[in-house]
Amino acid sequence: MITPWEVEGLIDYKKLMEDFGMDSFEKILDKIKDPHRLMRRKIIFGHREYERILNAMERDGNFVVMSGFMPSGLPHIGHKMTMEEIVWHQKKGAKAFVAIADIEAHVVRNVSWEKTDEIGMMYVKSLIALGLEEDAVIYFQSASNHVKDLAMELAKEVNFSELKAVYGFESETSLAKMFVTVIQAADILHPQLKDFGGPKPVVVPVGADQDPHIRLTRDLAAKSNIFSFEKIEGGIRVRSRKGSEYLKKLNSLNFEMKKFEEHIDIFGDENEVEKAVRSLEVELGGYAFIPPSSIYHKFVTGLRGGKMSSSKPESYISLFEDLKLVEKKIMNALTGGRATSEEQRRLGGEPEKCVIFELYTYHLVENDRELKRIEEDCRSGKILCGRCKKVALEMMLEFLKDFREKMDEIEKEIDLYRIIKR
Ligand code: TRP
Ligand code: SF4
């Protein structure tokens, strides 16, 4: 069972992709220049329409990366993945949008506004310490009228049976919990509003549990638009969702067309046709949203096994963790080691079952050859878990110290960033 609120049991990612209708990231990996560590290692395993982003990167750099963080618990190393993905896309030319989901934290998780402000800023500073640059749009949901107004408009297109199908909501579910779904959809779609320069590809890096939000948002994007597209031989079939009088407006476009009662077939390069129809839609006052793309990273295993979760402090390492506690958490982590050291020397460890090896892979070791060496030393029994944990601990402490130094420097730089808050 996977929804944004619960993930249970061991995850079969292949099945998850099939069930949710995601595409495999591995298949497009070779099209990416200097892929991020999380991409190379297949931790980012799935996507929706990431091709749009690849094209935009290559073509004109007019695209957006956007994701959000709920300020209910402190940022931990799971959030760090999303943060790195945002920063990576920004370096590749994307305009970055970051939402601090304070509305969600307040109305669904009961966190006070004082707390959401305080914790929200810790996320903002963490992002900056991890390399987010100054031209990012950073906002708290509660302070964005663009987001709140758009959410209200999107709400027209959602009904209860859809929410039930996508999220498993029941008649007891609170309206607040339902409403934050359109808030999040508005987070994702608002970079395409006229005030932000109109329609453009947007990629949302998230954990796989957030996919229901992505599906709802893509559906809402289509439903809110005037025109819809369908690829046909040699061009695009265009329909209007908001009445056939809009189809007549297409006459002004400079393409070969065939008109029908309910649709118009427009011939030519599909990208060109779509682009022309979208800008016409914007002129007519429509949204012309491009369905947002997404990439999905795997769930992070909790340090003692199971799922890493903000509600279980022993399961994660926060970016602000007391260094003594880091030591305790790492030394107590679940490994893929054997019952005795004699056995481990003889049989070797099992890195695929080891949380320490996951830490190396996801976070601590940038160099692929070094990672390979650790894996081999583990499998061959050359290294035992006690020493291996100490190495991981050293690396983690080094990262955290460096991170904290940057956090201190940020206090001076933070004014260079525009942060939209209450
Ligand atoms: N709901 C997300 C979470 O719980 C946070 C979030 C809010 C988000 N708005 C978003 C994620 C927009 C991606 C895009 O972590
Ligand atoms: Fe994990 Fe290291 Fe032990 Fe191997 S040796 S099982 S990688 S802790």
Side-chain angles (χ1 to χ4, degrees):
M1 176 73 185
I2 293 169
T3 73
W5 301 282
E6 54 194 314
V7 179
E8 272 169 34
L10 260 187
I11 314 293
D12 176 347
Y13 287 101
K14 217 171 178 169
K15 179 156 186 307
L16 190 149
M17 281 198 279
E18 277 163 23
D19 289 354
F20 281 6
M22 302 168 182
D23 289 314
S24 148
F25 197 80
E26 201 176 344
K27 289 206 179 116
I28 55 168
L29 186 60
D30 63 353
K31 301 203 179 94
I32 302 172
K33 278 194 217 99
D34 314 318
H36 188 271
R37 174 181 84 250
L38 298 170
M39 297 173 171
R40 297 199 304 271
R41 298 188 185 158
K42 306 186 175 71
I43 298 159
I44 295 173
F45 67 95
H47 75 99
R48 289 184 191 274
E49 287 195 282
Y50 194 68
E51 294 88 354
R52 283 187 196 278
I53 304 303
L54 291 175
N55 290 340
M57 263 188 224
E58 220 158 81
R59 210 176 40 236
D60 52 7
N62 183 22
F63 70 109
V64 161
V65 59
M66 122 55 58
S67 195
F69 302 91
M70 179 150 59
S72 52
L74 288 180
H76 58 59
I77 54 175
H79 301 111
K80 174 174 159 276
M81 295 203 280
T82 309
M83 294 181 181
E84 285 184 81
E85 291 166 55
I86 294 174
V87 170
W88 185 86
H89 282 93
Q90 191 186 36
K91 296 225 153 56
K92 293 277 176 197
K95 177 93 178 160
F97 282 71
V98 175
I100 301 300
D102 62 343
I103 294 184
E104 184 176 1
H106 183 72
V107 304
V108 178
R109 300 280 172 102
N110 257 314
V111 187
S112 72
W113 291 117
E114 290 71 32
K115 270 277 166 218
T116 57
D117 285 352
E118 185 192 324
I119 301 176
M121 282 310 292
M122 318 254 310
Y123 281 85
V124 172
K125 289 179 194 171
S126 300
L127 268 149
I128 297 174
L130 292 171
L132 188 74
E133 283 168 33
E134 287 150 33
D135 69 337
V137 177
I138 306 169
Y139 67 94
F140 286 63
Q141 285 172 333
S142 66
S144 172
N145 284 332
H146 283 109
V147 167
K148 289 190 282 188
D149 292 350
L150 179 57
M152 193 162 58
E153 299 284 340
L154 296 175
K156 290 192 292 200
E157 307 290 349
V158 191
N159 63 31
F160 182 63
S161 33
E162 184 173 19
L163 291 179
K164 198 164 131 191
V166 176
Y167 298 99
F169 286 165
E170 290 161 0
S171 42
E172 287 73 27
T173 305
S174 75
L175 179 57
K177 196 162 175 176
M178 294 187 208
F179 194 67
V180 297
T181 64
V182 285
I183 295 272
Q184 180 152 344
D187 281 332
I188 295 170
L189 292 175
H190 89 285
Q192 299 194 60
L193 293 176
K194 239 183 178 166
D195 285 358
F196 294 96
K200 61 184 83 58
V202 175
V203 58
V204 188
V206 278
D209 60 312
Q210 297 289 309
D211 186 55
H213 289 308
I214 304 288
R215 276 181 279 152
L216 179 77
T217 306
R218 286 168 57 86
D219 188 48
L220 283 176
K223 281 182 179 159
S224 308
N225 287 348
I226 298 173
F227 296 117
S228 69
F229 303 107
E230 182 191 329
K231 213 183 138 22
I232 53 166
E233 183 73 34
I236 300 275
R237 176 162 298 167
V238 182
R239 291 188 169 82
S240 162
R241 283 182 179 264
K242 313 278 172 193
S244 55
E245 67 275 14
Y246 283 106
L247 285 180
K248 298 196 192 85
K249 307 274 186 190
L250 293 167
N251 287 333
S252 64
L253 298 180
N254 239 333
F255 289 98
E256 189 196 328
M257 304 186 206
K258 226 185 207 163
K259 291 165 201 141
F260 300 86
E261 193 81 9
E262 296 291 326
H263 66 263
I264 293 186
D265 290 347
I266 306 183
F267 300 96
D269 176 75
E270 58 177 301
N271 289 324
E272 294 296 315
V273 173
E274 271 199 39
K275 210 168 144 193
V277 177
R278 283 211 168 86
S279 42
L280 178 73
E281 173 165 341
V282 173
E283 265 170 48
L284 296 172
Y287 293 115
F289 290 132
I290 296 174
S293 307
S294 50
I295 51 175
Y296 303 99
H297 51 246
K298 293 184 178 172
F299 300 102
V300 197
T301 312
L303 296 168
R304 315 295 308 268
K307 178 198 166 209
M308 185 172 283
S309 153
S310 300
S311 55
K312 292 184 288 175
E314 70 286 359
S315 75
Y316 63 83
I317 294 172
S318 139
L319 297 174
F320 300 90
E321 195 90 47
D322 176 345
L323 298 182
K324 274 265 156 298
L325 266 179
V326 175
E327 172 165 5
K328 202 169 134 206
K329 288 183 177 182
I330 289 197
M331 296 316 282
N332 285 330
L334 179 80
T335 72
R338 307 285 174 173
T340 66
S341 31
E342 183 278 322
E343 208 178 307
Q344 186 155 349
R345 281 202 193 87
R346 186 157 47 83
L347 300 170
E350 297 176 287
E352 67 281 358
K353 293 184 184 164
C354 177
V355 173
I356 298 292
F357 190 71
E358 189 182 295
L359 284 179
Y360 286 128
T361 312
Y362 283 39
H363 300 286
L364 299 175
V365 179
E366 186 61 48
N367 184 299
D368 290 346
R369 257 176 301 140
E370 190 182 340
L371 185 69
K372 190 93 202 126
R373 206 207 65 230
I374 296 173
E375 184 181 346
E376 281 162 6
D377 286 355
C378 169
R379 281 195 204 286
S380 68
K382 192 168 159 192
I383 181 171
L384 300 185
C385 296
R387 207 177 97 221
C388 190
K389 281 176 175 171
K390 287 222 175 79
V391 174
L393 173 63
E394 282 311 311
M395 288 178 171
M396 183 60 86
L397 292 176
E398 196 175 318
F399 163 74
L400 288 174
K401 279 184 197 143
D402 187 49
F403 177 79
R404 264 165 241 191
E405 264 167 41
K406 289 200 187 114
M407 287 291 285
D408 292 339
E409 285 164 25
I410 281 160
E411 296 298 337
K412 293 172 236 145
E413 280 171 36
I414 190 114
D415 293 344
L416 300 173
Y417 290 78
R418 201 165 87 82
I419 301 161
I420 304 161
K421 56 196 296 240
R422 295 181 302 138

